[in-house]
């Protein structure tokens, strides 16, 4: 029996979402957060609202499996992203099936469901975790519909304790996170022994909340960036770093 997964899209090939691997990305629908800057608002709801058409066909899990079978020996891995993939009650079974086809598995998650992550880690099913950290753990309401990120902190600790290759990343808009908030978050992550931290400057366009405009750039102090670089073994800015700071 085919698994019931609400699939929002399938990227056939990527070299950037699973470091060191040639991979496909499966986007699962549904997210527990409502981040102001979310650039995939069509994936927030778990049910697809549009009807199938030639441009946006409705995907089911069997279609994804058939695609992956044709890519055995060509791709190294599969990324489960979203939305928030750990919302799905069938994620564990889907990962099992993908691993059974010989693929490594990565997950992109917001970390809000540590029990789901624990189940995947306990069975040694994951080879890589990328986690979006929205704000300092006690200040998630700055960005999301969630008051605190205590469960996220538990997930971060779990990934570090598992000694998995990882990336923790934060999108920055000065109306949501100022220098002090970014530094507070960095201190929390460094204390948890995070090895790789990435900042992503906000880019305007399709977002969940309208009216979040592109800020005047650069919007982080150079002194902030120097402290961030010294806090982690690996720190970088994804995209145009001049939007965050200028050396």
């Amino acid at each position: 029996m085919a698994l019931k997964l609400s699939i929002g899209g399938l990227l056939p090939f990527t070299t950037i979402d699973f470091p060191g691997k040639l991979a496909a990305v499966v986007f699962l629908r549904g997210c527990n957060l409502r981040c102001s800057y979310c650039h995939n608002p069509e994936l927030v709801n778990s049910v697809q609202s549009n009807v199938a058409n030639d441009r946006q066909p409705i995907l089911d899990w069997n279609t994804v499996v058939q695609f992956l079978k044709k890519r055995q020996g060509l791709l190294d891995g599969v990324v489960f992203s979203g939305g928030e993939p750990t919302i799905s009650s069938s994620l564990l079974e889907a990962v099992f099936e993908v691993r059974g086809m010989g693929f490594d598995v990565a997950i992109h998650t917001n970390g809000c469901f540590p029990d789901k992550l624990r189940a995947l880690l306990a069975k040694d099913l994951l080879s890589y975790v990328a986690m979006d950290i929205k704000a300092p753990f006690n200040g998630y309401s700055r960005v999301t519909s969630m008051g605190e990120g205590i469960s996220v902190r538990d997930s971060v600790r779990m990934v570090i304790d598992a000694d998995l290759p990882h990336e923790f990343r934060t999108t920055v808009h000065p109306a949501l996170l100022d220098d002090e908030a970014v530094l507070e978050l960095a201190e929390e992550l460094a204390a948890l022994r995070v090895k790789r931290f990435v900042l992503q400057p906000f880019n305007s366009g399709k977002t969940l909340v309208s009216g979040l405009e592109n800020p005047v750039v650069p919007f982080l102090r150079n002194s902030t960036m120097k402290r961030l670089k010294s806090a982690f073994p690996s720190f970088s800015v994804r995209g145009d770093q001049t939007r965050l700071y200028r050396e």
Side-chain angles (χ1 to χ4, degrees), residues 58-103:
I58 294 177
L59 293 171
D60 59 22
W61 180 242
N62 184 62
T63 301
V64 173
V65 168
Q66 294 308 311
F67 165 81
L68 292 177
K69 286 181 177 178
K70 295 177 182 177
R71 295 300 187 273
Q72 287 175 299
L74 301 174
L75 293 178
D76 304 311
V78 176
V79 180
F80 286 89
S81 187
E84 173 48 44
T86 61
I87 279 183
S88 173
S89 60
S90 297
L91 177 64
L92 184 62
E93 291 84 351
V95 172
F96 260 124
E97 190 165 357
V98 168
R99 285 294 303 270
M101 286 187 275
F103 297 106

Side-chain angles (χ1 to χ4, degrees), residues 135-177:
F137 296 127
N138 66 352
Y140 258 54
S141 59
R142 292 170 178 259
V143 177
T144 78
S145 57
M146 182 177 174
E148 293 185 347
I150 304 305
S151 59
V152 180
R153 183 176 61 192
D154 292 342
S155 292
V156 173
R157 185 178 291 114
M158 203 178 301
V159 171
I160 297 303
D161 288 346
D163 199 27
L164 269 182
H166 63 260
E167 173 182 289
F168 296 95
R169 57 203 185 192
T170 298
T171 297
V172 182
H173 188 296
L176 303 173
L177 296 176

